[in-house]
Amino acid sequence: MIKQYLSYALGAFGHDAFYATLNTYFAIFVTSALFVGKGAAAEAGIVTTMVVVIRLIEIAFDPMIGGMVDNTDTKMGKFKPWLLAGAIVSSIGLILMFSSLFGLADSNTSIYFLVFGIVFVIMDIFYSFKDISFWSMLPALSVDTKVRNRFGTVGRFGSTLGSQGVIIVIMPLVIYFSQKFSGTHGDTQTRAGWLGFAIVIGLVSLLGALATFFGTKETKSLIRQNTERTRFRDVFKVIGENDQLMWLGLSYLLFALSYVVTNSLLIYYFRYVIGNSNAYSVIGGVTAILGIISVPLFPIIVSKITRRGVYVGGICMMLVGYLLFNFAGDSAIMMYIADAIFFFPYPMIFLAALMTITDSVEYGQWKNGTRNESVTLSVRPLIDKLAGAFSTGIVVIAAVQAGMTGNAKPSDITAHGMFIFHSFIFYMP
Amino acid sequence: MILLVVSALIYQFKVTLSEKKHAEIVKKLEKRIKTENAEKAADTKAELDN
């Protein structure tokens, strides 16, 4: 079993290193290395807008991707072919994204945008296949809740290390490859440097997927053989008729939205309320360390107080964090303490929700007669993506309404603006 | 704080799929599938006998 846990954790490590690169650092590459000089802002704007729009459209396809995985039946099982194909194609896509597409970005930007759009759509689809096949293996690895808890926990631990690891290695890698490939000195970053970084991350993602591919084993139980093909038009019915999945989904959507909105607005708090945006960087360190402590505690705590205890109790702890936020005023230290209390239960609540979704596979099978592992598990990434998209909009509205834009100073924010900001960052979430 | 409270209330009162309930469902499912398989086997046998 240890081998299986380790291979699953390695898969998650590579997967989230990849995701962090895509989600956070691609935009930095586009604005700081790909497009520089005349008209750069507009060109970078087109690329980032394409990314946002394509990803929004993709959300609707997640359950159908789950349906395709569920309908797959090969000697390797149903997840592994998709996991491997997803890893290979998405890694190649990532490497192409971090390049000038054979010089097109300089020679012909219109064709660059067109080719980039095609590359990104293909990359995003295969990334989603990888994402859904990887996480929907959970109900197939065991039907025992305790074993599922352990797989979920090691997976989440791997993802935490993967996404935090990228933050640590990104700049040293970009600078190392800039020196190696472009012969620069010091801290200069070149396109070739970014490309080298993307190749490393693409390889880490592929090697992690290979570890999961060879190291894990789908169980063959009586329950798991009881499946039928799911037609595409039925995937939303499968989700809709599973009332436990729907209630959990609604609860988790509100939870995720709450967390993401507050989390994204914290940087505005440091800049426009405290007036010290540098102090914000400590938050990243606090959450990285607490995440690494919090995740492994999940199986121990959940065996004592149950999933519901973790979920509801964890939210109570986050509410204490919110109360402290309200009293923080312009003290950065108070914000760190409040954020620590606010963040600590977050990974455990995530795992409690993930485990409830995993167990709702058998609930749906019992209630509706068919077993749908990937369609059911696709609900979680779908909700996380929805919450992310909503929160981006909410953050913009909050900042504009509160007058927290450009070079505004804390003294420029009116009492009314402050009330609006507090409503968006604390009261509403 | 509002969304979070609503989220907790929904989980507390509407999500009834606990670990215990899941273990019961797995047992019931196994039993049901076994019976179904036995019935299918009996049907096939009856057809063959005819």
Side-chain angles (χ1 to χ4, degrees):
Chain A
M1 279 317 266
I2 300 286
K3 187 184 143 210
Q4 289 211 53
Y5 292 135
L6 186 66
S7 356
Y8 200 65
L10 285 171
F13 177 87
H15 189 66
D16 269 57
F18 187 100
Y19 181 72
T21 305
L22 191 67
N23 206 33
T24 315
Y25 299 109
F26 178 65
I28 301 176
F29 163 73
V30 170
T31 49
S32 72
L34 185 62
F35 292 117
V36 281
K38 208 169 63 159
E43 287 161 348
I46 292 175
V47 171
T48 44
T49 310
M50 281 168 81
V51 168
V52 171
V53 172
I54 292 169
R55 291 178 75 181
L56 270 179
I57 296 170
E58 189 278 324
I59 296 177
F61 289 96
D62 275 354
M64 282 175 241
I65 290 175
M68 277 182 78
V69 176
D70 269 341
N71 287 342
T72 304
D73 185 16
T74 71
K75 259 189 222 157
M76 295 178 268
K78 66 182 199 188
F79 309 101
K80 290 180 178 178
W82 292 114
L83 182 64
L84 194 61
I88 293 169
V89 177
S90 64
S91 285
I92 296 170
L94 183 80
I95 292 166
L96 287 174
M97 282 172 66
F98 277 84
S99 75
S100 61
L101 290 176
F102 310 103
L104 280 177
D106 304 312
S107 57
N108 192 332
T109 41
S110 315
I111 297 193
Y112 171 83
F113 294 138
L114 182 74
V115 179
F116 173 81
I118 296 168
V119 167
F120 187 75
V121 167
I122 295 172
M123 193 289 306
D124 199 34
I125 291 172
F126 277 83
Y127 169 80
S128 300
F129 265 108
K130 184 183 179 229
D131 192 35
I132 288 169
S133 56
F134 181 83
W135 286 107
S136 62
M137 280 178 87
L138 275 176
L141 294 166
S142 171
V143 287
D144 181 356
T145 301
K146 281 205 186 76
V147 180
R148 284 181 175 180
N149 280 342
R150 279 183 225 132
F151 270 111
T153 305
V154 295
R156 181 72 188 184
F157 192 66
S159 347
T160 309
L161 291 183
S163 52
Q164 299 298 330
V166 174
I167 302 175
I168 299 169
V169 300
I170 176 163
M171 279 310 138
L173 275 181
V174 173
I175 290 166
Y176 170 78
F177 286 114
S178 298
Q179 291 172 349
K180 195 98 182 155
F181 294 153
S182 317
T184 55
H185 297 284
D187 287 350
T188 319
Q189 299 168 19
T190 65
R191 279 185 189 170
W194 280 94
L195 183 62
F197 159 73
I199 292 172
V200 170
I201 299 297
L203 278 176
V204 168
S205 162
L206 180 60
L207 290 174
L210 284 173
T212 306
F213 186 91
F214 289 111
T216 57
K217 203 165 153 278
E218 266 185 57
T219 56
K220 285 201 179 73
S221 61
L222 209 52
I223 287 184
R224 287 207 62 235
Q225 283 157 11
N226 178 229
T227 52
E228 274 169 43
R229 280 186 74 84
T230 309
R231 284 170 302 185
F232 274 138
R233 54 194 157 99
D234 288 343
V235 292
F236 290 98
K237 213 173 103 190
V238 164
I239 295 168
E241 283 178 350
N242 190 330
D243 60 283
Q244 284 301 297
L245 179 63
M246 290 297 280
W247 282 119
L248 186 274
L250 178 62
S251 172
Y252 183 68
L253 174 66
L254 300 179
F255 166 78
L257 193 59
S258 169
Y259 173 77
V260 182
V261 168
T262 299
N263 214 24
S264 325
L265 282 172
L266 278 178
I267 190 163
Y268 289 81
Y269 196 99
F270 277 87
R271 176 154 184 198
Y272 295 107
V273 179
I274 299 178
N276 182 358
S277 25
N278 289 332
Y280 173 74
S281 58
V282 177
I283 293 278
V286 170
T287 53
I289 294 166
L290 289 180
I292 290 167
I293 301 171
S294 172
V295 175
L297 286 178
F298 175 74
I300 304 163
I301 295 179
V302 81
S303 69
K304 295 213 161 57
I305 63 171
T306 76
R307 276 198 304 248
R308 185 183 281 167
V310 170
Y311 197 97
V312 177
I315 286 183
C316 291
M317 186 168 168
M318 291 176 83
L319 289 171
V320 174
Y322 273 122
L323 281 181
L324 292 177
F325 275 137
N326 275 301
F327 292 114
D330 56 6
S331 157
I333 303 286
M334 273 300 286
M335 284 299 286
Y336 300 150
I337 296 170
D339 188 61
I341 293 169
F342 172 74
F343 175 79
F344 188 71
Y346 168 74
M348 292 195 228
I349 298 171
F350 169 90
L351 280 168
L354 182 65
M355 290 305 128
T356 313
I357 294 178
T358 308
D359 283 359
S360 76
V361 169
E362 280 82 22
Y363 179 82
Q365 187 179 2
W366 170 249
K367 195 167 172 243
N368 306 321
T370 48
R371 181 178 178 88
N372 286 281
E373 292 171 340
S374 295
V375 172
T376 309
L377 269 284
S378 76
V379 169
R380 203 271 313 157
L382 184 142
I383 293 173
D384 276 329
K385 289 174 192 172
L386 271 184
F390 282 144
S391 104
T392 310
I394 294 172
V395 165
V396 172
I397 296 170
V400 171
Q401 293 296 320
M404 296 181 172
T405 49
N407 287 322
K409 288 186 194 64
S411 54
D412 299 335
I413 311 297
T414 61
H416 179 66
M418 196 60 100
F419 174 76
I420 289 177
F421 183 67
H422 271 95
S423 306
F424 273 105
I425 186 175
F426 300 141
Y427 310 148
M428 188 271 301
Chain B
M1 301 165 91
I2 298 168
L3 289 183
L4 217 47
V5 169
V6 177
S7 166
L9 289 175
I10 294 174
Y11 198 99
Q12 177 70 33
F13 294 107
K14 283 296 179 183
V15 179
T16 51
L17 183 63
S18 60
E19 291 93 324
K20 211 174 135 196
K21 190 161 173 212
H22 174 255
E24 283 166 19
I25 289 174
V26 169
K27 271 202 198 108
K28 282 197 263 180
L29 264 176
E30 278 171 348
K31 215 172 146 192
R32 187 171 84 185
I33 296 166
K34 265 186 200 148
T35 332
E36 279 171 7
N37 285 356
E39 275 169 15
K40 261 187 227 157
D43 285 351
T44 336
K45 193 168 176 284
E47 273 170 35
L48 284 175
D49 287 349
N50 289 332

